[in-house]
Amino acid sequence: MLRRQPFVAAAILCAASVGQTDLRSQTVVLEPYVVTATRNPEPPSDVPGSVRIVGSDELINTPALTLDGALRSVPGFSLFRRSDSLSAHPTTQGVSLRGLGPSGASRTLVLLDGVPVNDPFGGWVAWSKLPRLGLDRVEILRGAGATAWGNAALGGVVQLVSRQPDSGHAMIQTEGGTDSLASVEFVAAQPAGNGVLELSGSLFTTGGFKVVASGDRGPVDVAAWQRHRWIGARWFAPIARDTEVRASVRLFSEKRGNGTLLQRNRSRDSLGSVEVVHHPNSGLRWTASLFAEDESFSSTFSSVSADRTTEAPASNQFAVPASSWGLAWTGTIDSGASGTTTAGVDFRDVRGKTNEDSAFSNGAFTRRRVAGGKQRIAGLFAMHSLDLAGAVRLDAGVRADRWDDLDGFRRESLISTGEITRDDKYPSRSGWELSPNAGLVWRASPGMRFRASAQRAFRRPTLNELYRPFRVGSIITESNPDLNTETVATFETGVDWSCDPFNASVTLFHHDLHDAVANVTMVHGPGNFAGFGFIPAGGIGRKRLNLDSVVVQGAELSATLKIGTATKCTFEYLISDARVRNGQPDVALNGTRLAQVPMHSATLSLSWAGPSGLKVTPRIRAFSRQFEDDENLLPLAGAVVADLEASVSLGSSRRLFVLVENIADTTVETGKSAAGVTSTGTPRSAVIGIRIGL
């Protein structure tokens, strides 16, 4: 019954709790502030865009094995494919909101306490290097944020906000489960000088599961295992009246197996930042920050025979060093009746290259490729908020960015002799982008508000998209150093209604995306093709191209019902019609749906706090059919997935929990090759753990 009609089952659970009486005293919960919309703390009710706050309790208690798996409770939040970071290759962990042109490179900016964590070289996000236990909340700003943050915020901004360090506070969580999964994460804060030092870290290992569907597997298919670890430190201290310094450093390393014996990858990352915050009771408030990141990445790829009995090396991306550094200054001043003004500047420098071997023959690689470049983006922005007559609030802003692509190159040689077979040096390119925004909020009554907003945003293609071709199995994708900047015009309107114990929100949106970077199918194998070489039967040759126009439009619906103080039911739904309006230069794509975007996705969740510290949190996710490819020839079936977490208090801030993801062991199709081989997502997985607060 649960597998066939999960939404009905969850509705019955909600209905069964109606009428229950909880005589415990009620706690008044103040509205949290968000910082992502304008870089200035403000209540969500003042934000004209669509913002979703995922609090620390929801993050910890959501029945998901990973942080990004927990965020998938928000319909429209997804990685490039349906797999989460438990099994997805790092280069496919690009974040998409509302299905706005998903790809391995995120069209959503992801921040940790204001610092970008999108990969410098490729734009994807290594979710396993980010904390979960020490977070205060995650702010998901859909379809907005470009005026404040600039490049890469086309679809919105996801910001992870850490808890303020609390001297003497500590928490540790350890768990073990199926597929040899074991992990521990901790966070602890202690006085240090005149400030507070917080240490945090995580160890994680899993034997993984086989990512190829059971009917398509062969001897080459093995479990996609993973091992990672990270450690971080943050220091907060006052340095003057109303001024404090915040410094942080994080170190991360990871190894993964990607489903066959020959396909593996490895990552290392170091990220540090220093921030000075001046926050007087009146006058100018400002924040100045500096950050730097250095990382290395390597990955091997193979070619598998049609019967999946043998595999051979296809390429060895043996070194991808990348680094970035940046700085920012943001100031805010409240002028009473004249409103609030926030302005600032920011800058980011990115550089990286790929070193890889290819053309495996007679037991060895025969060709070497080195490609990469530099990218710099500097921005200046100003935003103003003003309360007008009639309970109307106006937000308006503008941002100007200067971008430069420098020192791009691609060099290929024969490994045996060192002979240079290709030596491309690409001319530097530069340009300016303008990102204006405007929004209105009308508080029609204490429990009702109407909102509307519009903005323009941009994204420069990553170094990976510009300069690095790649091969996965028999699919070859060529890079394109001439890619144009993506731009999008976003319009949305919505209404929010709050009447305890019921809250609801509806948003209608329209995104008009131009020059969308896409992997466009050019040729089908078998045969030799200019620019691709030999492509075997069932193989595909693709090239990164700008599509003239893509339209993503639809609606978001959210409703929450609180029943007493013990039960809360939440339903969220997204319809996203994402289509190519003008596929120039490939008009055959006109009218096709964007790859990896379902038309419908929904989540139904329940949180119930029972006697003796018992807490039960079931979740049901549903999504409709989507397509693997740009030509819409490879459909991926829709699915309904049920998850559950149950925990019980052991007293003294200790809690024992059990988590089961994909209870019904539903097959979730995550990918499909031209030869018909289907990849699948997380099967039924269970963990048991304990969380201890000190």
Side-chain angles (χ1 to χ4, degrees):
M1 179 67 178
L2 180 61
R3 185 168 186 174
R4 293 181 179 178
Q5 297 179 322
F7 284 101
V8 174
I12 292 173
L13 289 174
C14 287
S17 60
V18 174
Q20 289 183 351
T21 301
D22 194 319
L23 300 180
R24 291 172 294 182
S25 60
Q26 297 189 12
T27 301
V28 177
V29 179
L30 299 178
E31 183 179 27
Y33 276 59
V34 298
V35 298
T36 303
T38 63
R39 295 194 176 194
N40 175 51
E42 58 185 346
S45 57
D46 285 348
V47 178
S50 175
V51 61
R52 170 73 153 85
I53 300 174
V54 185
S56 58
D57 287 344
E58 185 177 354
L59 284 170
I60 291 176
N61 294 308
T62 294
L65 299 172
T66 63
L67 171 62
D68 51 300
L71 296 179
R72 286 194 299 178
S73 291
V74 181
F77 176 95
S78 65
L79 303 189
F80 176 38
R81 292 189 169 90
R82 290 171 173 172
S83 298
D84 63 16
S85 59
L86 193 67
S87 61
H89 191 276
T91 62
T92 66
Q93 293 180 31
V95 181
S96 170
L97 293 177
R98 293 178 174 170
L100 185 62
S103 69
S106 293
R107 287 187 175 94
T108 297
L109 181 64
V110 182
L111 306 164
L112 174 62
D113 298 322
V115 176
V117 294
N118 298 74
D119 183 88
F121 186 75
W124 48 77
V125 178
W127 288 94
S128 51
K129 73 179 180 182
L130 300 174
R132 184 173 179 181
L133 199 62
L135 293 178
D136 177 71
R137 65 191 184 276
V138 176
E139 300 174 4
I140 302 176
L141 186 66
R142 294 168 286 200
T147 303
W149 300 99
N151 183 45
L154 275 81
V157 183
V158 176
Q159 178 156 209
L160 286 66
V161 181
S162 300
R163 288 192 185 97
Q164 291 282 8
D166 182 8
S167 180
H169 172 76
M171 182 177 294
I172 185 170
Q173 175 175 302
T174 182
E175 57 191 11
T178 55
D179 300 321
S180 302
L181 184 149
S183 75
V184 60
E185 183 176 354
F186 74 91
V187 58
Q190 290 294 328
N194 62 340
V196 177
L197 175 66
E198 179 188 87
L199 297 177
S200 59
S202 175
L203 294 171
F204 181 94
T205 180
T206 177
F209 55 89
K210 294 183 178 180
V211 296
V212 172
S214 58
D216 297 333
R217 292 175 194 158
V220 304
D221 296 302
V222 298
W225 54 269
Q226 175 192 166
R227 295 193 297 272
H228 75 251
R229 58 188 178 183
W230 60 262
I231 189 167
R234 296 195 301 152
W235 179 61
F236 283 45
I239 56 175
R241 182 179 179 182
D242 301 324
T243 306
E244 67 177 6
V245 63
R246 305 170 181 177
S248 69
V249 63
R250 301 180 64 80
L251 305 176
F252 166 77
S253 66
E254 178 182 69
K255 295 180 180 180
R256 287 176 178 260
N258 297 308
T260 68
L261 291 173
L262 296 182
Q263 297 189 83
R264 299 187 177 192
N265 67 264
R266 183 173 183 174
S267 304
R268 292 184 180 273
D269 184 79
S270 303
L271 176 64
S273 68
V274 177
E275 182 179 59
V276 179
V277 180
H278 181 63
H279 47 84
N281 292 329
S282 61
L284 177 67
R285 305 186 303 272
W286 56 265
T287 301
S289 60
L290 173 70
F291 66 87
E293 181 177 13
D294 183 77
E295 70 157 28
S296 63
F297 175 75
S298 61
S299 186
T300 56
F301 302 89
S302 70
S303 178
V304 179
S305 62
D307 59 3
R308 305 194 69 79
T309 59
T310 60
E311 68 173 329
S315 65
N316 178 19
Q317 194 178 9
F318 60 87
V320 186
S323 63
S324 72
W325 71 274
L327 51 84
W329 182 91
T330 303
T332 300
I333 188 165
D334 296 321
S335 303
S338 299
T340 301
T341 301
T342 300
V345 296
D346 49 44
F347 171 81
R348 191 182 188 192
D349 177 280
V350 173
R351 54 193 66 197
K353 64 180 180 179
T354 178
N355 300 270
E356 55 189 301
D357 295 337
S358 61
F360 191 81
S361 179
N362 296 322
F365 290 106
T366 60
R367 295 181 178 272
R368 175 159 295 174
R369 177 192 304 120
V370 183
K374 302 175 184 177
Q375 195 171 76
R376 295 172 184 162
I377 300 179
L380 171 68
F381 68 93
M383 295 173 287
H384 187 71
S385 300
L386 179 63
D387 287 323
L388 305 176
V392 175
R393 181 181 177 88
L394 170 67
D395 280 18
V398 65
R399 179 187 179 95
D401 283 274
R402 161 80 180 201
W403 60 265
D404 294 275
D405 290 342
L406 308 167
D407 301 334
F409 73 97
R410 176 176 171 180
R411 184 169 59 252
E412 298 181 1
S413 61
L414 299 178
I415 294 177
S416 58
T417 64
E419 177 188 351
I420 303 296
T421 59
R422 179 172 180 170
D423 193 6
D424 296 348
K425 296 182 180 179
Y426 305 114
S428 296
R429 302 173 66 193
S430 62
W432 288 88
E433 297 295 335
L434 198 65
S435 304
N437 81 310
L440 282 173
V441 175
W442 174 37
R443 306 177 191 91
S445 67
M448 178 79 71
R449 75 172 188 136
F450 297 88
R451 50 187 167 80
S453 63
Q455 76 160 16
R456 183 185 186 273
F458 79 99
R459 183 186 76 91
R460 273 304 294 163
T462 64
L463 300 178
N464 181 67
E465 292 171 305
L466 291 168
Y467 306 124
R468 181 192 174 247
F470 68 95
R471 175 173 179 169
V472 179
S474 58
I475 300 177
I476 300 172
T477 303
E478 269 293 316
S479 59
N480 185 353
D482 298 320
L483 289 171
N484 295 325
T485 302
E486 296 180 336
T487 61
V488 67
T490 297
F491 308 91
E492 68 176 66
T493 183
V495 57
D496 305 316
W497 180 49
S498 177
C499 182
D500 278 341
F502 182 74
N503 300 295
S505 176
V506 177
T507 302
L508 305 178
F509 59 85
H510 179 96
H511 301 279
D512 196 353
L513 177 63
H514 289 271
D515 287 320
V517 176
N519 296 337
V520 178
T521 298
M522 308 295 289
V523 295
H524 290 265
N528 281 292
F529 301 93
F532 295 99
F534 177 74
I535 298 178
I540 295 175
R542 292 174 177 157
K543 185 174 183 178
R544 293 190 178 102
L545 296 173
N546 291 109
L547 301 182
D548 182 73
S549 178
V550 171
V551 173
V552 181
Q553 56 190 354
E556 297 166 344
L557 168 66
S558 175
T560 300
L561 174 64
K562 295 180 181 179
I563 305 166
T565 59
T567 305
K568 182 173 75 171
C569 299
T570 301
F571 174 72
E572 296 181 271
Y573 168 71
L574 171 72
I575 178 171
S576 177
D577 187 10
R579 295 182 183 273
V580 177
R581 182 168 61 186
N582 185 349
Q584 288 286 357
D586 187 356
V587 295
L589 297 179
N590 290 359
T592 57
R593 290 189 53 78
L594 289 186
Q596 302 295 340
V597 180
M599 176 78 80
H600 306 277
S601 57
T603 303
L604 181 62
S605 60
L606 170 70
S607 176
W608 176 66
S612 303
L614 176 65
K615 183 178 291 185
V616 180
T617 310
R619 178 183 70 168
I620 300 169
R621 297 177 288 120
F623 35 85
S624 61
R625 185 181 72 156
Q626 62 192 53
F627 292 97
E628 163 73 20
D629 64 320
D630 59 313
E631 296 179 298
N632 291 181
L633 300 177
L634 303 172
L636 302 175
V640 177
V641 181
D643 313 307
L644 174 69
E645 179 173 294
S647 63
V648 63
S649 174
L650 300 180
S652 302
S653 301
R654 293 175 296 174
R655 181 165 288 272
L656 179 70
F657 63 90
V658 176
L659 184 157
V660 183
E661 192 167 321
N662 194 357
I663 297 172
D665 202 22
T666 302
T667 298
V668 178
E669 297 182 352
T670 61
K672 185 173 292 184
S673 72
V677 177
T678 300
S679 301
T680 56
T682 307
R684 182 191 296 116
S685 300
V687 301
I688 183 170
I690 188 169
R691 189 180 305 120
I692 303 174
L694 303 174

